[in-house]
Amino acid sequence: MGVNLKPEHREGPVARAIEEQTAKLPSDIFLWVGIGFMAVSAALQIAGRKKESNFIAHWPTNILLMGLYNKLVKLQGHD
């Protein structure tokens, strides 16, 4: 009667290597780097460098998503 409800999915070698390395980083580092890029973007906007500001303004979202992924891997574990 032992039904395994958890599907058996394995990560590939690249994802496993990335998870092992990013698991070594504290989760809040992603938060602070994201906030830092927001501050740099705002400073560039104030300085009138709008193209550079808009370019850097796209980075925080990606950094924060990587931090979220990092946190989920730490909480849920990986294979």
Side-chain angles (χ1 to χ4, degrees), residues 32-61:
W32 291 112
V33 170
I35 290 171
F37 281 132
M38 288 179 209
V40 169
S41 176
L44 287 169
Q45 188 76 22
I46 291 167
R49 297 172 62 185
K50 296 191 184 317
K51 285 186 178 182
E52 293 92 343
S53 172
N54 288 335
F55 177 68
I56 292 177
H58 288 86
W59 297 359
T61 305

Side-chain angles (χ1 to χ4, degrees), residues 3-74:
V3 177
N4 185 4
L5 298 177
K6 183 178 176 187
E8 290 296 324
H9 299 286
R10 300 251 177 229
E11 294 292 347
V14 174
R16 193 174 312 120
I18 291 170
E19 288 172 0
E20 287 175 7
Q21 295 304 312
T22 58
K24 297 175 185 175
L25 296 172
S27 296
D28 63 340
I29 197 94
F30 293 97
L31 177 63
W32 291 112
V33 170
I35 290 171
F37 281 132
M38 288 179 209
V40 169
S41 176
L44 287 169
Q45 188 76 22
I46 291 167
R49 297 172 62 185
K50 296 191 184 317
K51 285 186 178 182
E52 293 92 343
S53 172
N54 288 335
F55 177 68
I56 292 177
H58 288 86
W59 297 359
T61 305
N62 298 317
I63 298 296
L64 293 173
L65 281 172
M66 286 189 292
L68 178 61
Y69 177 79
N70 183 48
K71 190 68 168 183
L72 287 172
V73 168
K74 284 182 178 180

